[in-house]
Amino acid sequence: MSDKAVRWAKDSDGVAIVTLDDPNASANTMNDAYKQAMGEVITELEAARDELSGVVITSAKKTFFAGGNLDDLSSAGPDDGPAVFENVTEVKAQLRRLEKFGKPVVAAMNGTALGGGLEIGLACHHRVGLDARGVVYGLPEVTLGLLPGGGGVTRITRMLGIANGFMNVLAQGQRHKPQKALELGIIDELATSTEETITLAKAWIAANPEAAQPWDKPGYKIPGGAPSNPKLAAILPAFPANLRKQLKGAPMPAPRNILAAAVEGAQVDFDTALRIEGRYFVDLVVGQVSKNMTKAFFFDLQAINGGKSRPDGYDKYTPRKAAVLGAGMMGAGIAYVCAQAGWEVVLKDVSLEAAEKGKAYSEGLVAKGVKRGKVTLEKGEALLEKITPTADYNDLAGCDIVIEAVFESVELKQEVFREAMKVIEPDALLCSNTSTLPITELAAGIERPGDFIGLHFFSPVDKMPLVEIIKGERTSDATLAKAFDVTLGIRKTPIVVNDSRGFFTSRVIGTFINEGVSMLAEGIDPQTIEQASSQAGYPAPVLQLMDELTLTLPQKIRKESQAAAGDAWVAHPADAIVDTLVDLGRTGKSGGAGFYEYVDGKRVGLWKDLRSTFHATNHDVDLHELSERMLFIEAIETQRCFDEGVLETVPDANIGSIFGIGYPAWTGGVVQYVEGYPGGVAGFVKRADEFRDKYGPRFDVPKSLRERATA
Ligand code: NAD
């Protein structure tokens, strides 16, 4: 065992086998140890060049190489730009020495290679990938607000062309399965074992003794042409325009920097292109958005998926047979994801017809998947066979988990649990998908409240990545551990919260919607309100979202909350707007009319009388302030959730807000937004106080946050 992160040895065929193996970490990253060792190894290889027939780079870890060192990158401050540039320039210079080695250099990528890991591969003359389950290849930096600064933008652009490289690899940061990576051309051939990656790599070396990169050979041209090529020049201006359209003005600098580095880099020589890429990389590293996104999509997600909220000491739980009660919109989707996980599913509704209608949802998804080549017919049919629709409780015999998704009524939910519990396994896990009813109250009406837990899915279930797990007062640790495993089993991200009205997600999204609707009460033009939410980075404009959720829902929740609050109840300026629209019969999308007009269920535009009905004549507005009000009100409500013990951890809040209720990704989530606000927590509190003075006490930050601001 070497104490170095990179080591090498010459094998009996005269091939240098370079092994990436950081002794201090479970995965290889581009940390100082890597840089130091890689530099030394390359120097030694250069000295031994004449005795070598080529170089194979492999890894001793489970993954090939994990990528950049995110601890270092996310701690870089605004003054660290020059140091970051120097560091990345050195990493690139090393890779450049490798690709100009004068002998064939092949990457035997015997596991997942993302970001910096793939960039090492791209600097090799040939890449052998591993065709195994779970292995992925790609440059996901954009999803962390960064760009591939280890030569990734420059090499992908020269390998695949500007348009192809940007769209398929760089702009969205897709993680490609091995077969897809091969089709795209970022991997050259596939092996089925680590040994075979090396055998194939060596065979390639033997057949290509004169290997060099295409861009280092005379007469090289970028596929699809350089930006000056008339065909490309004709379509290129559409790229930034499309990007702006997609981002709708949200402050996401990474895609723009990637495009600029690719296009500018394509007009100069290779080494200048690397420097241009470096400048755009540094610009992102020292900015706040990459810190926000790295915190959420790397550190927070890692903490959650690593099981920080799962009680220790319980065996992994995998259900065999799931009962899904209610085959409506939610139940149908839940049945699908359970069957997809490989579990038997009994889908129960009041009539066989209703249950079959629920199963038809899965049939539709499977048919679509088969048509698009995402799933084979055989696998699709096997999935459908797992779902048994029924109206008979007796068919629930043997089920070891129940997921209930009937109408939102305490009595009905308790009744269906009682009936099901007569036939299911005596220790079956009991889950409710209620979106508003307190779990403790539901559990009180049934036997075994310790086995009862909230499993709050989001619509559409097959697409939305989050499940909010809600612990009732009597929910046991064993139950929580099982619910956590179930959520990971259906490949969703679990957040864990304590019981409360609206839990965390429904409660916080309610404040966003109310804020948007209250702007209408201030006489602000509805189009401006929609624009403000899009510009903040929300995936759906606020009034459109309200229509989707239906306007009677906040009325119902308001009634319940008002009853619970008694004299402490404070009316919201949005209430009157919602009531007026409901009185006019405009209850939202499902009712065929709301803030918007609908024709055959399709949204066709804002209701033409919306402006006049609410006297929208106030044009003296600051769009940025409107956006901030939406982001602030959700952040403040989140702090209240912490103070009341509904939320326990920051990762749950950040990831829950982005994955569950569309809080803008660039913020890093609803807590990170406060932390990363200009001036930090104190800056946030100062701005919130301005909003409180202008718009009322709903913007009054909790004492806990004020204390943190002064600490
Ligand atoms: P839905 O009206 O589409 O479906 C409810 C289904 O329950 C219907 O098919 C109904 O026939 C069936 N049902 C009624 N009584 C039954 C009984 N005794 N036995 C079996 N089935 C019975 O409603 P939905 O939108 O799917 O919501 C279901 C639950 O999920 C609610 O508690 C809701 O609050 C919650 N939820 C909804 C959403 C959403 O976006 N719609 C999101 C999260 C949670």
Side-chain angles (χ1 to χ4, degrees), residues 22 29-32 65-75 299:
D22 190 333
T29 62
M30 276 186 182
N31 52 13
D32 285 341
F65 197 97
N69 189 276
L70 295 171
D71 283 318
D72 290 352
L73 291 177
S74 56
S75 61
F299 293 110

Side-chain angles (χ1 to χ4, degrees), residues 327 347 349-358 388-392 395:
L347 182 56
D349 208 297
V350 285
S351 67
L352 184 60
E353 199 190 352
E356 279 170 347
K357 194 168 159 235
T388 309
T390 185
D392 184 355
D395 290 336

Side-chain angles (χ1 to χ4, degrees), residues 182-221:
L182 185 69
E183 273 168 41
L184 279 170
I186 54 179
I187 295 289
D188 298 307
E189 58 180 322
L190 289 174
T192 52
S193 67
T194 287
E195 296 69 45
E196 201 193 355
T197 58
I198 295 183
T199 316
L200 291 176
K202 286 176 62 173
W204 194 86
I205 287 172
N208 296 273
E210 305 291 330
Q213 295 287 36
W215 42 86
D216 288 325
K217 291 181 190 164
Y220 164 76
K221 286 206 170 59

Side-chain angles (χ1 to χ4, degrees), residues 616-630:
T617 51
N618 177 1
H619 299 303
D620 181 23
V621 291
D622 172 351
L623 201 60
H624 182 63
E625 179 164 316
L626 299 185
S627 300
E628 282 202 322
R629 279 171 60 184
M630 298 172 187

Side-chain angles (χ1 to χ4, degrees), residues 74-119:
S74 56
S75 61
D79 301 333
D80 295 328
V84 175
F85 186 78
E86 197 182 309
N87 188 41
V88 75
T89 301
E90 192 184 334
V91 166
K92 284 196 276 208
Q94 289 177 349
L95 295 178
R96 193 76 182 116
R97 276 163 74 193
L98 258 188
E99 74 181 350
K100 295 178 88 171
F101 184 59
K103 295 276 170 85
V105 180
V106 181
M109 307 176 81
N110 53 336
T112 288
L114 294 170
L118 183 58
E119 287 179 301

